[in-house]
Amino acid sequence: MPVARAESSDSRVIAHIDMDCFYVQVEQRKQPNLRGQPTAVVQYNSWKGGGLIAVSYEARRSGVKRSMRGTEAKQVCPEIQLVQVPVARGKADLGVYRNAGSEVVSILSRKGRCERASIDEVYLDLTESAETMLAELPLDRLESISEEALKSHVLGLDMDGDNAGESVRKWFLRSDADHRDKLLACGALIVAELRLQVLEEAEFTCSAGIAHNKMLAKLASGMNKPAQQTVVPFSSVKKLLEPLPIKKMKQLGGKLGTSLQVDLGVNTVGDLLHFSEEKLQEHYGINTGTWLWNIARGISGDEVESRLLPKSHGAGKTFPGPRALKTSASVEKWLNELCEELSERLLSDLEQNKRIAHTLTLHANAYKLNDLESVNKFPSKSCPLRYGTAKIQEDALNLFHAGLREYVGSNNIKTKGNKCHGWAITGLSISASKIVAIPSGTHSITKYFHNQVQTHTSEKQSNDIFTQDAAHLSSSGNGSYLRLHSMCPQINICAEDARNKHCMPSLNQDEDQNEDASFILKSLDEQHPSFSTVRQKQDGVTQDFLSLSSSGAENGLFLNQKGTKIDFPGEETEHGLKSKEQKGKSYKEKGTPSILRFFGSHGSCSFSNEDHNKMLDDNKASSSADSQVTVNSCSEVVKGKWPQENLLPETSTTLSSQDELSRTAWSYNSDEIDPVTLNELPIEIQAEVRAWLRPQKRANTMKKGSSIVDYFLPTKNS
Ligand code: DCP
């Protein structure tokens, strides 16, 4: 039975923009003498020179690959410059890359809806800008086209060798062009301009794909790298997709792709075209069948989400080989480090973007000692997130112990004395998700949180009850924790108990986030008398703040604890992203410099198998085993809207380390995990999380009716 499909008459203009060898460029910006040099960024872990995680195009031309270690890269390319990822707390510190990514996002988001898909890639929906451009200035009347736009690769266009630019110009100016092609041409002009702005203002080159949907745009952006852009006209979709190996399509790299190969003999996307929608539905169910039928034809209804900020934050580290953690004390030590980093990032998100996270999740990788083949995965655990480093550390440790108990039970692990627990941990990560904006009236609270963390150490040492209570002023349980706290005196016992690490996080999952404002202030009053005064003052200024907001002059004023108005930091861009100081030079004033020239001496890259494979590979993992590796490719995997059965395994609440006080099922939605965060987790953990998140069945989001369908397969049910 056919189900609704995506519109094939898709005339959206979608761009996928991917920074070229991103970490290398960030390092080159710090050390300009590295520009044009064969360069690679290596992991923190100097074993064999460290694993390469980013390789410059100059080094790639000498045969250096991301899977290599530093020593091997030196053999292949003796002049290679190896730069180590910055280190903090004994692990990779990706802050500089994250910030650089935000800087670029703030530039790219100028022309349309922008979705930050990973640390170095974004999707843009440029439909509106393209329509406006076309309406204001028909392309055939365009007097000049920028040099950068003329360097576009247009799939299916006969590019006449030396005169490629001329062919592209004619393609842009065709008066008889299909409306969709005209829109894509406008999209290409806009993207060329944006890429130049990124180069001028942030000193990064990037590559782009411009097409009618996200899937095609993403495929195209990797086709001509670095510093180039590729347009996929509607008429070239079939040619682009047909030869692609089926396993290289997003979300077909795993079991489903294997089943297509083994059960249906489908090895390329072209092979898939021979199956009717009904046949595919028979094999894979209605939704997956229709989804397969659609993607074979380049149809995808995925929308570009408006998202400039990450949906979650994560910190992780791997402990390969002899560094595996075999005692609770060593796990606690590292969890504390990771939680400290997470807590700092949560605080800065709160301060800069006025957002709070609600869910804390722990992932780990483990094996049974003397049994590397042990099959049971270490179960991930989640609980409501409480702000304050000590609370996060405490909850994370409890989550770990809850997971460990299950792991030990399911693997039948016997403890052999005090020193040997029979298990080893090879990866730990902790993430905060379900991040929501706090109501504007509560902005002043950010200062409060900030102060708590800045003074965390001394407060912790002094065991000040105020600090303990302050930690309860978190977003735990979307406010319910605090309401509970303010309503139930026993919550104070919990606060006391927290010092002894027996505190239970809130179990209540009230979804009403708007109550955050009231519960925070209410709890402040009830937990610490000195805050009554603060609150009154805050209320006054809250009103000021709101009136400023409504008059369109939201300067981000907030109160410090004395009730004094001060400037709110971190509002440098209209989207709240921290942006590098703008250089203030319009790229137009400088003409249209060649991005390729800027990039160095490389030639134009054709669509090599290697690049092709790389861009399509769902798992871009390097084989290096070290702390913090990042990949892009899982972004699509977790972005889909999947049915409930695809929730992560049900997780239990944190348990007291001594008593099993209670165990409550607490489901965790895959949508809450941000691809950006997944990318920042250790690769071994990414693979595990991706496996959980991989959809069994695809949500039925497609709409019926499709001219693309007619175009490609006049009789759709062949
Ligand atoms: N990264 C990482 N670990 C990996 C893969 C990538 O830490 N296994 C980091 C380093 C990369 C950045 O993520 O610079 C972006 O990854 P990409 O896959 O987009 O690769 P690059 O940007 O390095 O190169 P390309 O120009 O091919 O996109």
Side-chain angles (χ1 to χ4, degrees):
M1 183 191 73
V3 295
R5 298 199 187 92
E7 291 293 340
S8 61
S9 52
D10 200 338
S11 48
R12 289 177 299 163
V13 181
I14 308 295
H16 177 259
I17 300 180
D18 187 16
M19 310 304 296
D20 302 313
C21 54
F22 185 49
Y23 285 17
V24 171
Q25 287 203 75
V26 173
E27 296 303 330
Q28 287 175 334
R29 196 169 69 161
K30 283 198 270 178
Q31 300 178 58
N33 60 315
L34 293 177
R35 283 196 197 284
Q37 303 284 320
T39 307
V41 176
V42 295
Q43 291 275 17
Y44 167 69
N45 169 14
S46 50
W47 184 67
K48 288 194 175 174
L52 270 52
I53 52 170
V55 180
S56 76
Y57 281 81
E58 292 81 4
R60 291 183 206 192
R61 280 195 290 279
S62 304
V64 178
K65 295 193 171 19
R66 184 143 76 186
S67 54
M68 293 176 175
R69 296 201 80 88
T71 44
E72 196 183 350
K74 279 270 181 202
Q75 283 162 8
V76 175
C77 174
E79 65 281 13
I80 194 166
Q81 307 284 325
L82 298 176
V83 188
Q84 202 196 51
V85 158
V87 172
R89 300 189 178 91
K91 60 184 278 298
D93 178 7
L94 305 182
V96 63
Y97 308 117
R98 252 181 241 117
N99 292 342
S102 301
E103 214 179 296
V104 173
V105 169
S106 70
I107 297 168
L108 291 175
S109 59
R110 290 170 184 165
K111 291 286 182 180
R113 187 160 6 119
C114 176
E115 174 181 325
R116 188 173 184 178
S118 82
I119 198 161
D120 77 330
E121 59 177 334
V122 305
Y123 288 99
L124 300 177
D125 187 335
L126 300 171
T127 313
E128 227 177 283
S129 300
E131 293 272 15
T132 309
M133 183 187 246
L134 200 55
E136 284 173 2
L137 183 62
L139 284 168
D140 49 0
R141 282 198 262 134
L142 211 60
E143 276 168 14
S144 70
I145 298 175
S146 76
E147 196 188 319
E148 200 52 51
L150 288 178
K151 284 189 293 188
S152 301
H153 299 257
V154 182
L155 291 189
L157 182 67
D158 196 8
M159 307 279 263
D160 179 18
D162 294 343
N163 266 328
E166 205 34 52
S167 306
V168 175
R169 183 192 304 279
K170 283 185 190 149
W171 184 81
F172 273 112
L173 299 179
R174 276 178 318 159
S175 53
D176 59 344
D178 178 66
H179 182 67
R180 283 170 298 195
D181 276 3
K182 287 184 178 172
L183 285 177
L184 285 185
C186 291
L189 292 171
I190 295 167
V191 170
E193 180 182 319
L194 284 171
R195 287 176 44 238
L196 283 173
Q197 289 177 7
V198 170
L199 182 63
E200 289 284 304
E201 296 173 26
E203 299 177 47
F204 291 120
T205 69
C206 51
S207 300
I210 300 111
H212 291 305
N213 64 45
K214 284 167 85 175
M215 175 180 79
L216 297 171
K218 166 115 184 168
L219 283 172
S221 72
M223 292 177 72
N224 296 287
K225 268 185 152 266
Q228 296 167 78
Q229 62 183 48
T230 305
V231 183
V232 188
F234 177 66
S235 55
S236 301
V237 174
K238 186 176 184 185
K239 203 170 156 198
L240 165 68
L241 291 179
E242 254 185 357
L244 290 186
I246 199 74
K247 295 275 270 183
K248 297 295 177 189
M249 290 297 281
K250 265 212 174 304
Q251 305 189 29
L252 292 181
K255 285 182 192 163
L256 183 54
T258 307
S259 163
L260 283 166
Q261 286 178 318
V262 175
D263 302 328
L264 300 185
V266 169
N267 290 310
T268 63
V269 177
D271 294 341
L272 194 55
L273 285 171
H274 300 123
F275 289 84
S276 69
E277 185 179 3
E278 283 77 9
K279 191 86 187 152
L280 293 170
Q281 287 178 338
E282 257 171 49
H283 276 268
Y284 300 108
I286 290 176
N287 291 332
T288 305
T290 296
W291 177 75
L292 286 167
W293 195 91
N294 279 321
I295 58 139
R297 288 155 183 81
I299 303 171
S300 163
D302 259 9
E303 292 289 333
V304 174
E305 289 171 32
S306 182
R307 177 157 52 79
L308 306 182
L309 298 169
K311 263 163 63 181
S312 55
H313 299 288
K317 181 168 172 66
T318 54
F319 309 94
R323 284 183 302 204
L325 309 177
K326 294 174 185 154
T327 63
S328 294
S330 58
V331 169
E332 182 174 357
K333 171 189 172 292
W334 279 110
L335 270 184
N336 283 347
E337 298 287 354
L338 296 176
C339 291
E340 212 172 292
E341 178 187 334
L342 183 66
S343 183
E344 268 175 25
R345 284 169 55 198
L346 285 171
L347 257 293
S348 86
D349 195 351
L350 179 65
E351 186 177 280
Q352 289 174 16
N353 310 310
K354 295 101 194 167
R355 304 193 307 164
I356 47 175
H358 289 78
T359 303
L360 183 72
T361 302
L362 175 121
H363 300 290
N365 275 15
Y367 68 89
K368 184 176 171 180
L369 282 183
N370 306 320
D371 180 10
L372 285 166
E373 309 270 295
S374 47
V375 285
N376 288 315
K377 300 257 182 228
F378 194 98
S380 288
K381 295 287 169 193
S382 299
C383 71
L385 191 148
R386 303 185 296 156
Y387 273 73
T389 306
K391 293 289 172 192
I392 294 174
Q393 289 170 334
E394 174 197 337
D395 290 346
L397 187 63
N398 282 336
L399 291 177
F400 172 77
H401 283 304
L404 184 64
R405 273 193 292 276
E406 262 177 50
Y407 182 76
V408 164
S410 59
N411 280 287
N412 201 19
I413 294 173
K414 306 257 182 307
T415 303
K416 296 171 194 147
N418 276 347
K419 293 225 168 106
C420 181
H421 297 297
W423 48 262
I425 298 294
T426 54
L428 278 177
S429 81
I430 189 83
S431 56
S433 59
K434 210 171 181 183
I435 304 181
V436 296
I438 54 175
S440 58
T442 57
H443 285 185
S444 56
I445 204 69
T446 58
K447 175 72 176 170
Y448 174 78
F449 277 118
H450 190 56
N451 286 346
Q452 292 310 306
V453 167
Q454 279 178 338
T455 55
H456 160 67
T457 312
S458 56
E459 285 167 333
K460 198 171 151 195
Q461 281 160 359
S462 66
N463 248 353
D464 181 353
I465 182 67
F466 176 71
T467 308
Q468 295 296 339
D469 285 353
H472 288 277
L473 300 178
S474 71
S475 52
S476 305
N478 301 355
S480 50
Y481 188 84
L482 283 165
R483 280 196 306 279
L484 185 69
H485 182 94
S486 56
M487 288 184 300
C488 307
Q490 68 268 29
I491 209 80
N492 285 323
I493 298 169
C494 185
E496 289 292 337
D497 282 350
R499 288 178 218 135
N500 302 321
K501 302 197 184 300
H502 297 304
C503 182
M504 292 279 296
S506 163
L507 309 183
N508 195 332
Q509 287 302 294
D510 186 342
E511 290 296 321
D512 186 2
Q513 283 132 16
N514 286 332
E515 294 191 25
D516 282 338
S518 55
F519 79 70
I520 290 172
L521 292 174
K522 184 163 189 257
S523 302
L524 279 169
D525 277 350
E526 292 175 9
Q527 290 173 68
H528 206 275
S530 66
F531 264 79
S532 301
T533 334
V534 175
R535 183 188 172 185
Q536 282 159 14
K537 289 181 184 171
Q538 278 180 327
D539 280 346
V541 176
T542 297
Q543 280 162 16
D544 287 350
F545 184 91
L546 288 172
S547 63
L548 278 172
S549 301
S550 59
S551 67
E554 180 168 336
N555 292 324
L557 296 176
F558 77 115
L559 274 180
N560 61 17
Q561 286 191 24
K562 289 179 184 150
T564 317
K565 276 186 196 176
I566 61 174
D567 287 333
F568 202 100
E571 287 288 303
E572 291 168 29
T573 73
E574 69 178 300
H575 298 291
L577 280 172
K578 216 171 183 177
S579 147
K580 184 186 166 193
E581 195 180 336
Q582 303 289 308
K583 291 186 176 173
K585 289 180 205 158
S586 157
Y587 77 98
K588 280 180 183 156
E589 287 164 20
K590 286 188 146 197
T592 52
S594 163
I595 286 190
L596 286 169
R597 234 180 294 133
F598 171 87
F599 201 85
S601 56
H602 61 76
S604 172
C605 279
S606 64
F607 191 27
S608 69
N609 275 345
E610 191 193 331
D611 281 346
H612 194 169
N613 291 343
K614 190 196 85 50
M615 85 186 171
L616 291 169
D617 197 344
D618 254 358
N619 186 358
K620 287 181 178 176
S622 72
S623 59
S624 60
D626 200 358
S627 64
Q628 295 285 30
V629 286
T630 308
V631 295
N632 277 338
S633 51
C634 62
S635 54
E636 294 294 322
V637 178
V638 293
K639 217 171 283 156
K641 296 180 180 86
W642 296 321
Q644 284 296 306
E645 65 255 33
N646 297 320
L647 296 178
L648 279 174
E650 274 199 337
T651 54
S652 67
T653 58
T654 306
L655 301 175
S656 151
S657 56
Q658 302 197 341
D659 311 308
E660 273 213 3
L661 294 174
S662 70
R663 185 181 284 263
T664 306
W666 202 73
S667 62
Y668 187 79
N669 196 324
S670 59
D671 272 354
E672 291 164 19
I673 295 198
D674 185 353
V676 177
T677 298
L678 276 185
N679 292 345
E680 292 166 9
L681 300 177
I683 198 70
E684 294 87 341
I685 295 173
Q686 286 182 26
E688 191 180 339
V689 176
R690 266 206 306 278
W692 281 323
L693 297 178
R694 206 178 291 280
Q696 306 300 315
K697 287 181 180 179
R698 200 147 299 279
N700 188 9
T701 54
M702 307 299 188
K703 285 181 202 142
K704 205 166 179 68
S706 163
S707 62
I708 246 187
V709 170
D710 298 338
Y711 181 86
F712 286 123
L713 205 65
T715 50
K716 75 181 175 68
N717 297 325
S718 59

